[in-house]
Amino acid sequence: DGMNILFIVVDDLRPVLGCYGDKVVKSPNIDQLASQSIVFSNAYAQQALCAPSRVSFLTGRRPDTTRLYDFYSYWRVHAGNYSTMPQYFKENGYVTLSVGKVFHPGVSSNHSDDYPYSWSVPPFHPSTEKYENDKTCRGKDGKLYANLVCPVDVTEMPKGTLPDIQSTEEAIRLLNVMKANKQKFFLAVGYHKPHIPLRYPQEFLKLYPLENIPLAPDPWVPAELPSVAYNPWTDIRRRDDVEALNVSFPYGPLPEEFQRQIRQSYYAAVSYLDVQVGLLLNALDNVGLSNNTMVVFTADHGWSLGEHGEWAKYSNFDVATRVPLMFYVPGMTTSSVSQGMRVFPYLDPFSHTVGSVPQGQSKEVVELVSLFPTLAELAGLQVPPACPKVSFHVALCTEGTSIVRYFNASEEKVQEGKEDCGDTARCFNEEPAAFSQYPRPADSPQWNSDKPKLKDIRIMGYSMRTIDYRYTVWVQFNPKNFSANFEDVHAGELYMMETDPNQDYNIYNNTSHGWFFKKILG
């Protein structure tokens, strides 16, 4: 009774996947999952930083409600005692299990990944996680460094393995336990790669000869980009290989050859991740649970690969906020799957060439904050109510809305809605929007611009993305009472998607944007 849930969340994965139309990457296993899923091509995180994004989608509340914009507070203490998605499933009879990085570890999940509230048993963390930032990358001189670009010989690594390999093994073990015990489960598996350092088994480099790796289509800092919007990628500057390049702060740029190497290693890390996902889904087949387990695949946010002269996350651009999002629901996104049928045979990225296409694709603009109500509805549980305007005192409610209504909508419907619109303003107003935000300590790039601590936040960039545009206003913010003053606008951005899909030409200063402003306030 009721379906199991396998919830896969990846760190820093932008949609560079075959199923999202990327021509360079090799991701056959994730593409195969997509071929049985509904795939959302316009899904956005609420903040392009690990802890705030994860707490947001796991509680179904936006960062202004969790009051977490950095890594240093626990929502149950500092905001409100909000129920989480796994907690809700646990309270509804599911065994809830966490493997790898699901909650961001540390203060923001009470040093316990929110156990015992969210999980039935203590969460699993790979024992080799602690070596992530050690000097394990062999340089050309044979010495070990803590590099950004870090292909490795796994046999030389501490304990002869890597964290994501350990997480896959544990998740497979748990699937077997759940099968044996006939228990209904919510299993969350959090993968680290392609989070930096880009440390992955070196054989994956073979898939990506450097000469085939393109630079970003727009590797320059846009002329009209407000300085407050720029993120100076301080975390990668601290890596030994980047530090050796002695790049000027804050605008760089990195040498082109090194830009290609970063992009090459990001792709290689994605293929390494794809293998882990492939092994995990193949194990779901092996234990005979593919017919009654829904699979959700997403990421906490994206990662800039040189676009706008930027690297890493820490911004409101699509490259930082847009994520892959797909749902495999047997009998709904696919015809019914009979017990024991193989849905996910493992595909080797080194030999598999044919790309598969998504089963169904939705261009609707959706948000990760909607995951909680969506999964509740798909599982047949009562959907948590919508939160009132102020909800610090409400334990169970959601600021997202279930997106199950988009699962069967054909592409034509999205377009049809547009053509009936004589009144442009009305059309725009009814358009779904995704909201993201990012804090800054000052109007110009500082050493702490990427990750300001709460006490140092002075400006908040609120961003609204629809099918047609991205509109962002950077406004005065008071961290003492968590208030944004929309009467004190420091800067703005407006990009029209049809003519400027890469968000390079900010037309904020030569456009009247009164009603965009009204809508973002609404």
Side-chain angles (χ1 to χ4, degrees), residues 172-375:
I172 291 172
R173 187 188 75 79
L174 288 170
L175 284 176
N176 282 287
V177 171
M178 291 297 104
K179 169 71 175 178
N181 296 351
K182 297 187 169 57
Q183 286 173 302
K184 189 164 63 170
F185 62 85
F186 177 107
L187 169 59
V189 182
Y191 285 116
H192 278 264
K193 294 304 123 185
H195 190 290
I196 68 167
L198 299 170
R199 189 168 77 113
Y200 54 86
Q202 61 197 16
E203 56 270 24
F204 286 95
L205 271 179
K206 292 195 198 98
L207 294 171
Y208 303 104
L210 202 56
E211 60 273 18
N212 297 357
I213 303 296
L215 291 174
D218 51 350
W220 58 84
V221 180
E224 298 297 316
L225 183 69
S227 55
V228 68
Y230 185 81
N231 75 280
W233 35 281
T234 26
D235 59 347
I236 78 164
R237 290 171 191 273
R238 294 195 175 108
R239 304 281 156 177
D240 292 346
D241 49 354
V242 180
E243 211 172 318
L245 298 168
N246 211 6
V247 178
S248 67
F249 184 89
Y251 296 110
L254 287 171
E256 284 194 2
E257 179 73 358
F258 195 73
Q259 292 192 34
R260 279 183 215 280
Q261 286 176 16
I262 298 176
R263 291 172 67 92
Q264 174 193 40
S265 272
Y266 188 90
Y267 280 115
V270 171
S271 292
Y272 160 58
L273 160 77
D274 184 76
V275 164
Q276 303 312 312
V277 172
L279 293 168
L280 178 58
L281 293 174
N282 186 48
L284 193 67
D285 271 357
N286 289 344
V287 293
L289 292 174
S290 303
N291 64 314
N292 64 348
T293 303
M294 68 173 98
V295 181
V296 185
F297 179 89
T298 192
D300 54 359
H301 45 70
W303 210 79
S304 185
L305 285 165
E307 296 84 1
H308 316 114
E310 296 181 309
W311 301 87
K313 46 243 186 184
Y314 318 125
S315 82
N316 281 320
F317 282 122
D318 277 20
V319 281
T321 55
R322 184 169 166 246
V323 292
L325 178 63
M326 61 189 81
F327 298 84
Y328 161 76
V329 188
M332 186 177 190
T333 62
T334 60
S335 49
S336 62
V337 179
S338 54
Q339 170 101 40
M341 196 169 130
R342 298 205 73 81
V343 186
F344 304 116
Y346 173 73
L347 302 173
D348 181 348
F350 292 91
S351 54
H352 186 81
T353 47
V354 188
S356 33
V357 291
Q359 170 66 27
Q361 197 148 18
S362 172
K363 291 198 172 82
E364 296 287 353
V365 171
V366 297
E367 307 175 284
L368 288 186
V369 74
S370 296
L371 276 170
F372 186 170
T374 302
L375 286 187

Side-chain angles (χ1 to χ4, degrees), residues 370-387:
S370 296
L371 276 170
F372 186 170
T374 302
L375 286 187
E377 183 175 342
L378 287 172
L381 302 180
Q382 196 167 355
V383 177
C387 291

Side-chain angles (χ1 to χ4, degrees), residues 135-145 147:
K135 297 188 179 214
T136 55
C137 323
R138 203 166 288 290
K140 291 197 170 66
D141 57 6
K143 291 187 186 141
L144 292 176
Y145 294 93
N147 286 344

Side-chain angles (χ1 to χ4, degrees), residues 128-139:
T128 59
E129 216 171 75
K130 59 179 170 289
Y131 308 115
E132 265 301 271
N133 295 310
D134 289 5
K135 297 188 179 214
T136 55
C137 323
R138 203 166 288 290

